[in-house]
Amino acid sequence: MCVIVGLASELGYLRRPANGFQRLVQRVAATAAGAWFFSKTMKPLDVVIDKLSGGRFTGPELLAGLPIVWVTTTGRRSGQPRSSPLLGVPIGDDLAFGGTNFGQRTTPAWALNLETEPHATVRRRGVTVDAIARVATPDEREAVWATASTMYSGVPKYRQRITTREVRIFVLESSSGSET
């Protein structure tokens, strides 16, 4: 029997419900002020936590119960690897990522990078997988918004604040073609 294993399975991706403290942090982070604060502080914090924990944890995972995945893209201008901690949204056995940028006005660089070069690496808890990105279909977009909203209460608020651009949503699939 031949089974194709998707990106989520290869990463051992699990989605756990947030506890009471984590839900409180989510509510704060969902506000305009909280989103602005975390947009400036979370990535540097994640880099430190990633290093100290040996890649086992991220700030949003510990503080807000969010299943964060590190996505490494190729910089569209520099050609250099660029890593971003992102909320992975399961779509079947693949993972989707939305360029909400904490509800800010600009599209995040990682999304622009994926448009230029769809090959990426995805890492979670010490497991790294090569992946290829594609733009989500209209049906997948709606599924991603719905699922992401159940994972993080800030998603609907981000969506309301983003009025001057369309949020880019990508589905990342394993490019290894693993079979078991």
Side-chain angles (χ1 to χ4, degrees):
M1 181 172 158
C2 180
V3 177
I4 303 298
V5 176
L7 183 62
S9 292
E10 285 188 67
L11 290 171
Y13 176 93
L14 295 174
R15 181 178 153 205
R16 293 187 176 95
N19 64 34
F21 173 77
Q22 292 168 332
R23 288 190 302 275
L24 175 64
V25 170
Q26 286 188 25
R27 282 195 296 276
V28 170
T31 66
W36 178 86
F37 174 78
F38 285 116
S39 75
K40 306 299 183 207
T41 61
M42 194 49 65
K43 186 171 181 181
L45 178 64
D46 272 339
V47 170
V48 171
I49 292 172
D50 184 60
K51 186 169 281 221
L52 290 174
S53 72
R56 290 186 311 268
F57 299 105
T58 65
E61 186 172 14
L62 294 172
L63 295 172
L66 299 174
I68 300 299
V69 177
W70 284 89
V71 177
T72 301
T73 61
T74 300
R76 66 192 182 289
R77 294 184 192 148
S78 69
Q80 298 299 309
R82 303 289 183 220
S83 296
S84 300
L86 305 173
L87 175 64
V89 180
I91 295 294
D93 200 25
D94 297 319
L95 291 175
F97 301 90
T100 60
N101 201 18
F102 295 90
Q104 307 298 307
R105 289 189 172 127
T106 58
T107 298
W110 68 263
L112 299 171
N113 292 344
L114 282 179
E115 285 181 338
T116 302
E117 172 53 65
H119 292 89
T121 59
V122 183
R123 179 173 56 88
R124 178 155 167 82
R125 297 197 169 191
V127 177
T128 302
V129 177
D130 290 328
I132 189 157
R134 62 176 174 75
V135 175
T137 66
D139 288 343
E140 287 171 329
R141 284 181 64 82
E142 288 310 310
V144 168
W145 283 121
T147 302
S149 295
T150 68
M151 297 170 71
Y152 172 45
S153 62
V155 169
K157 293 176 183 179
Y158 289 177
R159 198 171 183 188
Q160 288 174 349
R161 287 198 298 265
I162 301 169
T163 59
T164 59
R165 65 181 175 91
E166 181 173 343
V167 173
R168 290 160 168 90
I169 298 177
F170 295 91
V171 176
L172 273 69
E173 302 168 338
S174 173
S175 63
S176 67
S178 294
E179 297 182 14
T180 58

